Amino acid sequence: MKSATPGPSTSPAEVTNVSPHGFWLFVGERELFVPFSQFAWFREASVRAIGNVQRPSPQHLYWPDLDIDLAIESIEHPEKFPLVSQAQPNKRLQPTKARRRSVKRPKRSSRLRG
């Protein structure tokens, strides 16, 4: 006997409260706090956009208005997912010290022109 295709989630995600420090998210049978200090891309979002959350799979959340995907584990254990860029600067695009020194700045006149 084969199992039927799973239907829509019976445990949706719901934002229960928003504060200046973050928001509370009810997922399944537990409530999680999402601090803006660790999830900065929500900081400037509207309450409406934060409240529009979907749970496309048991361990995945999606905010369509913000185009943000998060694993529930990243909210439960943010220390495992540090928000540190690993990108290296492109040194070819950086001005050299000699080039920075050679850039002439306009002189300030001590006299006012009328």
Side-chain angles (χ1 to χ4, degrees):
M1 177 175 164
K2 286 190 165 190
S3 298
T5 305
S9 174
T10 57
S11 304
E14 178 184 359
V15 174
T16 59
N17 193 6
V18 179
S19 82
H21 306 288
F23 61 95
W24 285 264
L25 184 64
F26 191 72
V27 180
E29 297 182 9
R30 62 184 184 240
E31 193 167 40
L32 304 170
F33 182 66
V34 181
F36 294 142
S37 62
Q38 293 178 319
F39 299 91
W41 46 86
F42 290 106
R43 183 175 286 134
E44 299 298 322
S46 69
V47 172
R48 184 178 188 170
I50 291 171
N52 184 16
V53 59
Q54 300 171 359
R55 190 175 181 193
S57 70
Q59 292 300 316
H60 178 230
L61 300 170
Y62 179 62
W63 284 263
D65 297 342
L66 303 169
D67 195 27
I68 295 173
D69 292 283
L70 282 180
I72 293 174
E73 183 182 10
S74 69
I75 298 170
E76 295 173 317
H77 304 287
E79 70 281 358
K80 292 181 181 179
F81 304 90
L83 298 175
V84 177
S85 173
Q86 299 299 318
Q88 297 295 317
N90 186 341
K91 294 188 183 239
R92 289 180 28 188
L93 299 176
Q94 302 296 319
T96 63
K97 287 182 184 178
R99 171 74 179 122
R100 278 182 264 168
R101 278 189 239 127
S102 70
V103 174
K104 295 184 180 182
R105 296 190 177 131
K107 293 182 181 180
R108 292 185 180 181
S109 174
S110 59
R111 294 187 216 173
L112 295 175
R113 296 181 188 207

